[in-house]
Amino acid sequence: MGYQNIRFPEGTKFLVTGSAGFIGSNLVEAILNLGYQVRGLDNLSTGKRENVDLFFHHPRYEFIEGDIRDLDTCLKACEGVDFVLHQAAWGSVPRSIELPLLYEEINVKGTLNMLEAAKQYGVKKFVYASSSSVYGDEPTLPKQEGREGKLLSPYALTKKTVEEYARLYTSLYDLDTYGLRYFNVFGKRQDPDGAYAAVIPKFIKQLLNDEQPIINGNGKQSRDFTFIENVIEANLKACKASGEAAGHAFNIAFGGREFLLDIYNNLNHALGKDIQPIFGPTRRGDIKHSNADISKAKELLGYDPDWDFEKGIEAAIDWYKKDLEVLRVD
Ligand code: NAD
């Protein structure tokens, strides 16, 4: 269980793209703690400088400020690297509906550049972030790889396209690629601010500040909220996976199902508040329910997540309480 006992040869070097973001910065931290080398790549568009500064003086960390839309930058980033953990992308379904051209440029062209650079430098494994949004309007629960419906947003289309490119890079060029379909990840350093912020950090921050959060829809939508530690485990286990599992995409979640209104009520309670939410309109492009079948990742990657929702949300609340307290003192 977990990833603490995963070992790589001494001196192994990982490239984490999107290293100034939520998931990327947690990957950087975990890999440095395990004793390996990390190069980060980020253009700081949605990521934060402070997530780079956190590790800046670490002797096994280096950072390239650059854009994955530029092939030369991707080539520079892949030089001398054993494993690529590609997280850089623009997230958010509603924002992609506003900006489809930009999403194509960053998420599709940027990833194609990264695949090409990884191929040219012969990296051992290319592990990349996909998304549960690729299931589109397929209503069957739990979501199973191979049973995808019609896509509902440009964001989902970029992730599905990237999966196809990755599959081709495996079959045509022998690059071992592994797609990780994350399901609503949460945990420390996830940005609570802005119109496109994820609900958990946003609710926590608003409740701590005695503001009334908005719930889009009636709150009866459900999600397989996944704690960040499970995502780190999936990335590192994919680096250890056999070549037979290459070219595939895998559901990465805990395999549970939480309703938004229940989460809201539990956060209210855990933070000692009694604040009524405001109910807003349903968001276009959103799916109603989501819950993952994780048996494929278990079987082919040895993924065995040990952070259930309750344990994860406790850790997340503790972190936000401290982080937001520090910000208030400042
Ligand atoms: P994030 O916005 O916190 O991190 C993304 C990082 O990528 C940012 O630091 C940003 O500056 C960087 N980036 C964006 N465009 C770039 C470019 N052109 N060149 C270089 N860097 C660029 O998002 P996150 O939540 O950490 O998501 C990481 C990955 O996981 C993304 O691919 C996202 O689509 C995927 N994902 C996330 C979730 C989730 O719940 N957080 C769910 C499904 C999939």
Side-chain angles (χ1 to χ4, degrees):
M1 276 179 119
Y3 59 86
Q4 299 301 338
N5 297 323
I6 299 179
R7 290 288 169 267
F8 296 91
E10 215 184 307
T12 295
K13 191 168 202 161
F14 292 81
L15 168 65
V16 177
T17 72
S19 61
F22 159 49
I23 295 173
S25 68
N26 277 282
L27 284 167
V28 169
E29 183 179 14
I31 297 165
L32 290 174
N33 285 338
L34 287 175
Y36 305 108
Q37 318 237 4
V38 187
R39 179 180 293 154
L41 169 65
D42 204 297
N43 70 349
L44 302 175
S45 53
T46 60
K48 295 184 179 170
R49 169 75 61 187
E50 68 203 50
N51 290 341
V52 178
D53 293 345
L54 269 178
F55 316 108
F56 206 72
H57 297 292
H58 197 293
R60 280 182 276 104
Y61 180 65
E62 58 181 300
F63 178 67
I64 299 176
E65 185 171 339
D67 198 308
I68 55 169
R69 285 170 287 183
D70 177 46
L71 178 61
D72 285 342
T73 301
C74 297
L75 285 165
K76 196 170 129 201
C78 282
E79 188 177 0
V81 156
D82 297 289
F83 300 104
V84 173
L85 306 180
H86 173 52
Q87 315 298 313
W90 269 34
S92 169
V93 162
R95 186 168 51 193
S96 77
I97 297 173
E98 313 280 323
L99 299 165
L101 301 183
L102 190 64
Y103 272 69
E104 175 75 16
E105 274 288 303
I106 298 171
N107 294 8
V108 178
K109 169 132 186 283
T111 301
L112 187 53
N113 283 338
M114 283 303 307
L115 283 163
E116 181 59 28
K119 179 195 92 178
Q120 288 193 24
Y121 275 105
V123 307
K124 296 188 174 94
K125 311 266 183 202
F126 185 94
V127 182
Y128 65 95
S130 184
S131 155
S132 58
S133 62
V134 299
Y135 288 102
D137 68 356
E138 168 57 47
T140 313
L141 293 179
K143 309 282 183 198
Q144 223 170 23
E145 298 90 342
R147 291 189 71 165
E148 294 83 15
K150 277 206 230 65
L151 301 175
L152 299 172
S153 67
Y155 172 71
L157 178 58
T158 64
K159 292 295 182 182
K160 194 73 194 80
T161 306
V162 156
E163 288 188 357
E164 289 299 310
Y165 268 123
R167 188 181 58 72
L168 283 177
Y169 266 71
T170 298
S171 64
L172 298 176
Y173 310 117
D174 285 334
L175 175 67
D176 280 359
T177 66
Y178 303 83
L180 305 181
R181 292 180 176 173
Y182 302 152
F183 281 64
N184 295 80
V185 189
F186 70 98
K188 70 180 177 197
R189 292 200 284 274
Q190 189 171 29
D191 195 350
D193 296 317
Y196 304 114
V199 284
I200 289 183
K202 194 169 184 166
F203 284 175
I204 295 177
K205 183 169 181 184
Q206 288 175 323
L207 290 171
L208 282 172
N209 288 338
D210 293 320
E211 292 164 12
Q212 261 187 301
I214 295 173
I215 294 182
N216 292 108
N218 60 8
K220 291 190 179 144
Q221 57 271 53
S222 64
R223 296 285 183 270
D224 197 335
F225 284 100
T226 306
F227 191 54
I228 183 68
E229 289 290 302
N230 299 332
V231 168
I232 296 169
E233 176 195 333
N235 274 274
L236 295 176
K237 289 210 168 145
C239 292
K240 286 282 188 186
S242 76
E244 275 156 42
H248 286 262
F250 304 87
N251 289 345
I252 299 302
F254 183 73
R257 191 174 168 203
E258 314 298 326
F259 289 82
L260 205 53
L261 201 52
D262 292 343
I263 293 183
Y264 180 82
N265 291 332
N266 292 341
L267 288 175
N268 229 342
H269 180 73
L271 297 170
K273 307 282 180 178
D274 185 17
I275 299 172
Q276 290 303 310
I278 299 166
F279 288 94
T282 308
R283 293 192 319 186
R284 271 194 308 160
D286 262 355
I287 45 180
K288 184 85 184 148
H289 298 292
S290 185
N291 155 242
D293 178 339
I294 55 172
S295 50
K296 184 176 172 187
K298 279 188 163 177
E299 192 188 329
L300 293 176
L301 304 180
Y303 173 64
D304 189 12
D306 52 4
W307 286 78
D308 63 16
F309 178 75
E310 284 72 26
K311 199 166 110 176
I313 197 79
E314 247 180 65
I317 290 173
D318 280 352
W319 187 84
Y320 279 104
K321 270 184 169 165
K322 286 191 200 111
D323 190 59
L324 296 172
E325 200 54 47
V326 171
L327 291 179
R328 263 203 292 272
V329 172
D330 282 346

